[in-house]
Amino acid sequence: MISKAVRSKAMARTAVIGLTLGVTALAALAGYSINGNVETTRHVREAGMQSDQWGALTQNVSIEYEMLGDYLRASTDIGRQPLLSAMGSATGNIDWLTANGDETDQAEAADLADSYAAYTETLHQLVAADGKGDRTTVDALSQQASLAASTLRKSGMAQVARKRLDMDQYLLAVDERNNKTLVAAGAIVAVDMMLLILCASLMIGHQRRIERQAQESRYRAGHDGLTGLANRSLLAEHVDRTLAQAARGGDPVGLLLLDLNKFKEVNDTLGHHAGDLLLTEVAARLADAVRESDTVARLGGDEFAVLLPRVGSADDCLDLARRVLDAVQGPAELDGVQVDISGSIGAAVYPLHSANSAELLQHADIAMYTAKRTRSGTAIYDAEADIRSSEQLGVIGELHRAIAEDELVLHYQPKVATGTGELVGVEALVRWQHPARGLLPPSEFIPQAEDDEIIVALTDAILELALRQHVTWREAGVELPVAVNIAAGGLYDNAFPDRVSAALIRHDVPGAMLTLEITETSIISDPAEVQTILDRLRDLGVKLSIDDFGTGYSSMAYLQTMPLTELKIDRRFIKSVHESPSDEAIVRAILELARALNLKVVAEGVESAEALAVLETMGCPFAQGYHMSRPLPAGDVLPWAAGRVEVPVSS
């Protein structure tokens, strides 16, 4: 507590202010002392001059009296002139004291002036009587002069004694004042010394704190605040230094980039505190899994890096990547909730894959996205894949702009009842109205989008357009169900059902008016997770359809457990169903399977009347394909339906 008070800014300000006041007081005291000394000197000088004048007055009176004695003892006029010269010599002293003495001097001098004037007059009378030979008068005046001279000398000596006594008292008072000044000066100096020591301590402490803060700032500048690992800046320094050493003949250098799976879901579901705990746990596992010479860094978000000096070959680097991933992956408990940590690692090796640090980071990043896209866990940089990725990156960049600037348009392929030709729904198929390349089919951008996170934004944009169009048709008096294709990425996004729900609510569309078409392969990849997502979608009333059925790896177990409502038979079996016994047998088997599982069936790719007739004979209830209609712009759908049949459109 005391130490904290001493280090406080208030204490520092108080010490500085106190020291300033102390120095000011010391300076004022010094000035006071100097002024006192000057005043003392002046007073002593003036008192000395006054005392000298009283002494001179006494001496002059004594000289006059002696001259008088010499004159009286002499029988001739020899002594007259000296006496006459001496007479009145003290007048100047009296005048000076009257003008320059203190009040006492002036009063005494004024009193003495009359006595001295009478004394001088007596001397003049004596000399005059002596000149007449009047000895009686001379003797009388002589006695009178003697008494006057004695009185004057005694008065002068008394004033000299008085001046000496005043001086002694004054000097005693000066000594007392000087002693007090000395004591005050000593106290002020002592206080100033203490304040000076305190200020020095505070300055030294402040300097140490600044140095410590500078060290902490340098550390923070190079380390992640949450995990304590090196940050991107420090990693770049280590990479540059390690590559420089390797360029002088060292072993190859490896770089691993790790990206966690489903980190956003942890943040969204359990909160940012749980996300921070997850990142801290991953950082600890990474630090335990690598060598002391390796550098582990957090690049931001859920992305980590490991710099591997002396990695050996590319195969060795990939083996290390697998071992690191094995060490990181696994269950972890976050505030009582158990989560499963998984991720993807991309690896690149200098100088095999990269010529400098920037390329090493870039190529490891490309490899990491390859591992994430292929769900392989780890991947080493592949130059050919990089070329394809660069082309894809260009498409993805433009696709971001296309979504933002509403360049996407939907065409709708009708779905009809095989027996009546009645329009029962449409499938929304996206097109890209490219400003330079014109209207692009989905084959020009959907495959690239499926390998990137943009597929999520693209799916949301298509869903939004489809529901908006459904509302437009509804306002025209037609309730027309619409189907939207969902890529695998949507089925692994826990937030996807929430976004579908929000879109349905935003457009006031019942869930039954929307069908989401998914592929068999997207189910097989992670059936447990897909099951959860599909259950949530079913709870919204949304219908779920398996697209391109028969070309994937579906099992009966998935068909039994998944909340599906529809199967769409792949076009390769439909195209020749009226000509190929094997295709016909496959279609019949699928229809029987669907009936057993209480699933509706839609035949895709119907391109001839013969194929449609066979499907109707088999009991396939719904069909779509070029024989009925190619995908149509939204504005052509209702006129097309009106021109085919007279019955009202129904769901």
Side-chain angles (χ1 to χ4, degrees):
M1 186 71 179
I2 296 176
S3 176
K4 184 177 181 181
V6 170
R7 292 197 305 268
S8 68
K9 292 182 179 179
M11 178 60 74
R13 293 193 187 100
T14 302
V16 171
I17 293 172
L19 183 59
T20 302
L21 293 176
V23 171
T24 303
L26 195 60
L29 193 61
Y32 171 75
S33 179
I34 292 172
N35 289 335
N37 291 335
V38 171
E39 177 61 25
T40 299
T41 301
R42 183 189 63 77
H43 185 83
V44 170
R45 183 178 66 252
E46 290 179 353
M49 293 174 63
Q50 292 162 1
S51 181
D52 290 343
Q53 289 296 325
W54 283 113
L57 184 149
T58 302
Q59 185 178 8
N60 287 333
V61 170
S62 296
I63 291 173
E64 286 179 345
Y65 183 73
E66 289 177 2
M67 290 296 103
L68 175 61
D70 291 342
Y71 172 73
L72 294 174
R73 285 191 295 270
S75 57
T76 62
D77 293 335
I78 297 176
R80 178 183 295 181
Q81 188 58 43
L83 176 59
L84 293 175
S85 298
M87 284 190 302
S89 60
T91 302
N93 302 121
I94 293 173
D95 292 341
W96 188 95
L97 288 168
T98 301
N100 300 297
D102 58 22
E103 292 181 358
T104 302
D105 290 334
Q106 291 175 359
E108 293 293 336
D111 291 342
L112 202 62
D114 293 338
S115 298
Y116 183 72
Y119 171 67
T120 303
E121 180 61 26
T122 299
L123 292 179
H124 280 291
Q125 291 176 359
L126 187 150
V127 171
D130 184 61
K132 296 177 180 179
D134 186 357
R135 299 302 301 176
T136 301
T137 302
V138 170
D139 290 340
L141 291 174
S142 175
Q143 291 178 357
Q144 184 179 347
S146 176
L147 291 173
S150 176
T151 300
L152 289 171
R153 286 199 305 270
K154 289 178 181 179
S155 295
M157 288 186 290
Q159 295 306 315
V160 170
R162 179 183 65 81
K163 297 303 292 188
R164 185 178 295 111
L165 181 60
D166 288 346
M167 182 61 67
D168 290 341
Q169 292 176 344
Y170 177 78
L171 291 177
L172 181 61
V174 169
D175 286 342
E176 290 178 357
R177 185 190 66 192
N178 288 341
N179 288 335
K180 292 179 181 179
T181 302
L182 185 61
V183 171
I188 294 174
V189 169
V191 172
D192 284 352
M193 286 300 296
M194 289 189 293
L195 291 173
L196 182 61
I197 293 171
L198 179 59
C199 287
S201 300
L202 290 172
M203 291 178 65
I204 293 172
H206 183 62
Q207 181 180 2
R208 289 176 178 172
R209 284 197 301 278
I210 291 175
E211 292 174 353
R212 184 168 61 252
Q213 289 169 357
Q215 289 179 339
E216 292 174 355
S217 297
R218 287 193 295 270
Y219 179 84
R220 288 195 298 269
H223 292 80
D224 176 55
L226 176 64
T227 63
L229 299 178
N231 60 15
R232 184 182 293 272
S233 176
L234 185 59
L235 176 69
E237 293 179 12
H238 285 198
V239 170
D240 289 338
R241 184 168 59 249
T242 304
L243 295 192
Q245 294 171 352
R248 293 193 293 268
D251 292 328
V253 177
L255 182 66
L256 309 181
L257 288 188
L258 164 67
D259 186 78
L260 300 179
N261 296 333
K262 304 177 185 176
F263 175 72
K264 183 177 182 297
E265 296 175 10
V266 172
N267 260 345
D268 293 343
T269 305
L270 302 180
H272 290 286
H273 176 65
D276 291 345
L277 292 178
L278 177 59
L279 294 174
T280 304
E281 176 64 21
V282 170
R285 293 183 182 185
L286 280 173
D288 291 340
V290 301
R291 305 166 297 180
E292 290 186 5
S293 59
D294 301 334
T295 300
V296 181
R298 180 187 174 208
L299 303 185
D302 60 338
E303 194 172 37
F304 295 83
V306 181
L307 178 63
L308 304 169
R310 302 182 301 278
V311 73
S313 65
D315 290 338
D316 294 333
C317 185
L318 191 57
D319 288 340
L320 285 171
R322 294 191 183 103
R323 289 203 293 271
V324 169
L325 187 61
D326 289 341
V328 169
Q329 294 187 138
E333 188 171 307
L334 309 177
D335 280 348
V337 179
Q338 188 164 341
V339 300
D340 189 54
I341 299 176
S342 63
S344 302
I345 292 182
V349 178
Y350 170 88
L352 178 62
H353 300 137
S354 312
N356 52 53
S357 59
E359 285 188 356
L360 187 64
L361 284 164
Q362 178 185 5
H363 293 167
D365 191 54
I366 292 171
M368 185 265 290
Y369 276 103
T370 299
K372 183 179 287 288
R373 184 178 65 251
T374 59
R375 297 179 178 270
S376 59
T378 58
I380 196 83
Y381 174 73
D382 179 10
E384 294 183 1
D386 187 15
I387 295 174
R388 294 192 298 272
S389 297
S390 297
E391 295 174 351
Q392 176 182 351
L393 187 62
V395 173
I396 297 304
E398 285 196 286
L399 197 52
H400 277 290
R401 189 207 69 246
I403 294 173
E405 298 182 4
D406 296 327
E407 294 178 2
L408 300 179
V409 294
L410 296 185
H411 286 194
Y412 299 88
Q413 186 166 36
K415 183 193 303 183
V416 302
T418 54
T420 64
E422 177 187 1
L423 180 64
V424 296
V426 291
E427 178 182 358
L429 301 172
V430 67
R431 305 288 189 265
W432 180 358
Q433 189 63 57
H434 195 283
R437 300 168 60 190
L439 189 65
L440 300 181
S443 59
E444 293 286 334
F445 57 92
I446 291 295
Q448 295 89 333
E450 287 179 335
D451 289 337
D452 189 88
E453 293 181 355
I454 197 176
I455 191 63
V456 174
L458 180 61
T459 301
D460 290 347
I462 295 172
L463 181 63
E464 186 75 15
L465 291 173
L467 293 179
R468 189 184 304 163
Q469 184 57 51
H470 171 84
V471 172
T472 300
W473 286 326
R474 184 177 65 194
E475 292 173 349
V478 178
E479 289 280 354
L480 190 58
V482 62
V484 175
N485 291 282
I486 304 300
L491 297 182
Y492 301 109
D493 182 1
N494 282 328
F496 179 63
D498 294 332
R499 295 200 302 275
V500 172
S501 175
L504 291 171
I505 294 172
R506 186 164 53 251
H507 295 285
D508 191 23
V509 176
M513 289 291 103
L514 175 65
T515 298
L516 300 180
E517 299 186 3
I518 58 179
T519 62
E520 295 177 74
T521 52
S522 62
I523 295 177
I524 296 298
S525 298
D526 193 344
E529 184 173 0
V530 170
Q531 174 83 50
T532 301
I533 300 296
L534 294 183
D535 286 342
R536 292 173 60 192
L537 291 170
R538 177 200 57 195
D539 293 340
L540 298 175
V542 173
K543 297 178 180 180
L544 301 169
S545 175
I546 290 288
D547 198 13
D548 301 332
F549 186 80
T551 61
Y553 310 95
S554 294
S555 71
M556 289 297 297
Y558 299 149
L559 292 179
Q560 286 179 311
T561 58
M562 297 292 175
L564 304 174
T565 56
E566 182 181 87
L567 296 180
K568 298 188 74 173
I569 304 175
D570 187 77
R571 66 184 63 249
R572 72 182 65 183
F573 303 117
I574 301 302
K575 183 177 182 180
S576 303
V577 67
H578 59 292
E579 298 174 339
S580 170
S582 60
D583 288 344
E584 182 180 349
I586 290 173
V587 172
R588 288 186 183 277
I590 293 174
L591 289 170
E592 290 298 324
L593 175 63
R595 292 189 189 101
L597 296 175
N598 195 29
L599 299 175
K600 294 181 180 180
V601 178
V602 179
E604 294 185 288
V606 178
E607 298 182 356
S608 66
E610 293 80 7
L612 181 61
V614 170
L615 290 170
E616 182 180 358
T617 302
M618 291 182 181
C620 180
F622 306 110
Q624 67 181 94
Y626 284 2
H627 174 65
M628 283 74 73
S629 175
R630 291 176 175 271
L632 300 171
D636 294 344
V637 172
L638 296 186
W640 176 87
R644 284 178 56 83
V645 293
E646 297 181 358
V647 296
V649 177
S650 170
S651 59

